[in-house]
Amino acid sequence: MKVISQFLRFDGGDIINEKLLEVKDVCKYFEVKRGYKEPQYVKAVNHVSFEINKGETLGLVGESGCGKSSLGRTLLRIYEPTSGSIKYRGDEITHLSKHRLLPYRKKIQMIFQDPYASLNARLTVGEIIAEPMVIHKMYNPKHRIERVQELLKTVGLKPDHIRRYPHEFSGGQRQRIGIARTLALDPEFIVCDEPISALDVSIQAQVINLLEKIQAERGISYLFIAHDLGMVKHISHRIGVMYLGHIVEMGPSNEIYRAPYHPYTKALLSAEPIPDPKSARTKKRILLEGEIPSPINPPKGCPFVTRCPYAMEDCQVAMPNSYKFGDRLVACFLYSPRRLRQRENFSIEPLLNKKQED
Amino acid sequence: MDDTAEKLKSDWFLPIDPSEKNDEFIAVESKSFLSEAWGRFKKNKRAVFGLIVVIFFILLAVFGPLISKFTYDEQNADVLNVLPNPTYWLGTDKFGRDIFTRLCYGARISLFVGFVSALINLIIGVVYGGISGYVGGKTDMIMMRTVDIIYAVPSMLYVILIMLVLGANVKSILIGICIPGWIGMARQVRGQIISLKEQEFALAALVLGASSRRILFKHLTINAIGPIIVQLTFLVPQAIFTEAFLSFVGVGISAPMASWGSMAQDSRQLITMYPIQLLWPTLAICLTIFSLNFLGEGIGDALNPKNR
């Protein structure tokens, strides 16, 4: 299966069709010990594959606990992947030793969720931003200070903030300090793990605009993890939808928002609030029944089978493959060639409306 | 209303020049973590009292013997058991030795044992607990079970056994206190490190490529400094008390050396006739231990960022 992304242009940033990161069949299982019983596994990330091109933003959405953050952390080798392969510019980095991974650390970076927890409270801002350069032995001490001041300016702070401590800054300012720290290494790929969810709405745009500006200037690729659907649509070129450790649908963001294919994506997008009471009242919401199954005991077939309004017999038995439609991938039996042949029309909307009237 | 509207003229107001815009300005004075903690510490009266008393005893230990005219083992049969007077500030004991001088020498031994053992326990405890907590898994398991074994033996037994081998002196008391003494610190540090290592700033350091040693000592330990200092300030009185107790039961400092514990033991025999002789060493022990506890509590409160 190949994910294709092409022809997408974003204001400012150009996507060059050049694979930066290739993720293939990556799994991350966490062992849970239960006394004397056999160890059980939380299947946080389950056979996930995707590619990210240079200058591209891939959004990753899904509800809490679906494995978005675990996936991001596995890519950065904070967690060791259970199986699968991660390639950076064609180089296998899945099982590199800590020492041999070091040059790749410069290129692959992360922005964290909580701006209060992600900065060491005992260090000054100058020390925090200079640290990556110290670790990688870049520049001499005097040059480092100049570069820290430069980076502070880049993220819209003042060079004389260098001697301040993190607790003196607001949440948005701290998040920008965190961004300056990652930029100190000139990374090519940044995992943004819900960088705006801990921020005030009025500050979110500030950080998002900064991320977009940096992308336009430096051609950085992002993996943008979030649960704010509107924000993901705004910043992403492509979107992956995760459910219980699986990517159930992936494709260009505009297309997914216009016409979601996978039943879970449909439900997820219908839950997005609309900032207009009139149209919000007329909007039909798909209310899913039940809870997410435990990732320790996921359903045998399709992960979504327990809550899917369209579940069929096949779904109970086997996990559907990802079926390709143009640029999009959908992991659902409704879109298998056999089913498609059975249905004359591609749309499954009538089914959906009937369910609502019941 | 109309009058005020007329009075306000439009040419009073000018759009601000973008270069003058200063929305990232921080008005508050820049303060380091420690200077802020000192500000909070100063407000705590008991803690300041504790600090003053501790400094007083340190000065006494360092300069006391210099200002006194007597030595700690100088016996004088003419002045047995005298009460405090201008020559003998705190009186003399049953051998006619000056109690003030002996108290100062006792302070030297007590404070030396207290601070040095705390320092040794600090270093061993932080390194051991830090490694155990950071590495985790089987290493943690083995290291912590080792600690449990050391802890299972009564600490007095170590002291007495070492005394038998190395003789009754300050060195063997120090070793005896330090063998089980670092365990509390190691457990405390391990717990702190385990909760800190999952925090995002530690993950950020990992992603930046920092070595384990750098993460452990530059990021994690420095953030656990509050509980470490508090534990440290409780280790000092504990060691002082242990030394006094050992000398009191007769296995500590040997005569004619003076320690607060051995002075209390000597004067115990004369308690019905000269109770004031027992007062001085016990007062010194109580005051020091109280003050150090107040001090520890005060430092703990001052370093807790939630009290900001």
Side-chain angles (χ1 to χ4, degrees), chain B residues 232-248:
Chain B
L232 191 69
T233 50
F234 290 121
L235 277 175
V236 178
Q238 202 187 327
I240 290 176
F241 188 81
T242 309
E243 185 276 323
F245 171 77
L246 288 170
S247 299
F248 185 77

Side-chain angles (χ1 to χ4, degrees), chain A residues 120 131 136 158 164 173, chain B residues 22 24 28 200 208 219 223:
Chain A
N120 187 340
E131 195 187 14
H136 291 275
K158 290 176 170 296
R164 298 260 175 187
Q173 286 174 321
Chain B
N22 208 3
E24 305 289 352
V28 76
E200 284 183 345
L208 292 173
H219 292 284
N223 273 281

